[in-house]
Amino acid sequence: MIGAEFEANASSEDDGVEQAAPVWAVFGDLMAGVVGAFVLILISVLAMQMDLVTSLQSEIEKRHQEEARRMALEKALAIPLQSGRVTLTNGRIGISGSVLFDLNSDELREDGRLLLKSLVPPLQVYLSETGQMLMVSGFTDDRPIQEGNLHFKDNLELSAQRALNVTRALIAEGMPRAQVFSAAFGPEQPVASNEDAEGRALNRRVEMAPVPRTTNVKAGADGVAAASTSAAAAKAKGQ
């Protein structure tokens, strides 16, 4: 009897162990899944942080390089900048129209041509390092073309011809055709008021601005873009 009871008790304990074992196995699998998911999430977060750090470092390096190029361009243009014949604003090189041309004329003055010649070497270095093109833009004041001037229909045409002649002068001094093109803005995008002579003189200008190289831009001496009002605003923002 005692033996029978012992066997019965042993059998009951074995059944309890057998019933408990699947529960712990399921719990262990569940915990392993939770730990695995946590590890995957941690790895993903670490990978995202590493990518973010790499991206930030790349952006910082890019800005340092751009700043170094800008400083190099300013250094190369130091003499004309000091003389006041050239301005440099946000990477755009501005030259007063009176330095390059007589009033209502598109014929380059000799001292203007010499100034352009001095700008070609530093511009070539800058464009080569940045992989950009140079957009030569012509601007005028808002006063109509003088009566009797049969060369130009309006200010847009005058600004186009001036930009084209500056572009051709740069090419003649060694600027590769594939790196420079012209654009005309006429009286659009003034930098000063046209209400007085001083402001109008500031608006009569030629600007040279590095721009990203695109496949739909016609490069070369004859690549003139006569911009409309809306196009002018869009391109000016792109500078």
Side-chain angles (χ1 to χ4, degrees), residues 23-34:
V23 174
W24 283 106
V26 170
F27 181 75
D29 291 342
L30 179 61
M31 290 302 297
V34 171

Side-chain angles (χ1 to χ4, degrees), residues 4-239:
E5 291 178 358
F6 177 80
E7 290 179 357
N9 291 334
S11 176
S12 176
E13 291 177 356
D14 290 342
D15 291 342
V17 171
E18 291 177 357
Q19 291 176 0
V23 174
W24 283 106
V26 170
F27 181 75
D29 291 342
L30 179 61
M31 290 302 297
V34 171
V35 171
F38 176 77
V39 171
L40 289 176
I41 293 173
L42 181 61
I43 292 175
S44 299
V45 171
L46 291 175
M48 290 176 62
Q49 289 181 338
M50 291 179 63
D51 289 342
L52 180 59
V53 170
T54 301
S55 177
L56 288 174
Q57 290 177 340
S58 177
E59 184 64 23
I60 291 173
E61 180 64 23
K62 181 181 178 181
R63 291 188 178 184
H64 285 168
Q65 291 177 354
E66 291 177 351
E67 182 65 15
R69 293 190 187 104
R70 185 186 64 80
M71 293 179 64
L73 184 60
E74 287 185 355
K75 183 178 180 180
L77 300 176
I79 294 177
L81 284 172
Q82 289 175 359
S83 67
R85 304 172 72 197
V86 170
T87 61
L88 186 61
T89 306
N90 296 327
R92 299 195 306 271
I93 301 171
I95 307 176
S96 172
S98 61
V99 173
L100 298 173
F101 306 97
D102 291 328
L103 190 64
N104 286 315
S105 172
D106 67 329
E107 187 175 347
L108 272 170
R109 296 163 56 95
E110 186 58 31
D111 52 348
R113 190 179 296 275
L114 292 175
L115 175 60
L116 293 176
K117 181 179 181 179
S118 70
L119 298 179
V120 169
L123 283 174
Q124 277 187 282
V125 173
Y126 184 86
L127 294 173
S128 297
E129 290 181 350
T130 60
Q132 295 178 305
M133 298 180 67
L134 187 70
M135 182 171 73
V136 179
S137 304
F139 302 84
T140 66
D141 60 31
D142 66 348
R143 293 297 186 265
I145 296 294
Q146 290 182 355
E147 293 184 7
N149 190 331
L150 303 178
H151 295 287
F152 312 106
K153 180 179 179 180
D154 52 26
N155 281 317
L156 182 62
E157 186 175 345
L158 172 60
S159 66
Q161 193 59 48
R162 284 182 170 181
L164 179 57
N165 285 348
V166 169
T167 300
R168 285 173 171 163
L170 293 173
I171 292 172
E173 297 299 339
M175 181 71 71
R177 286 176 175 267
Q179 284 188 317
V180 60
F181 67 100
S182 304
F185 292 84
E188 305 300 332
Q189 305 301 315
V191 294
S193 172
N194 281 304
E195 296 302 319
D196 54 68
E198 183 179 354
R200 291 193 294 273
L202 292 174
N203 291 331
R204 295 192 298 269
R205 70 197 190 279
V206 171
E207 289 185 355
M208 293 180 286
V211 296
R213 184 181 294 275
T214 57
T215 56
N216 61 345
V217 173
K218 182 181 179 182
D222 296 322
V224 181
S228 63
T229 301
S230 58
K235 289 185 178 179
K237 291 180 180 178
Q239 291 175 1

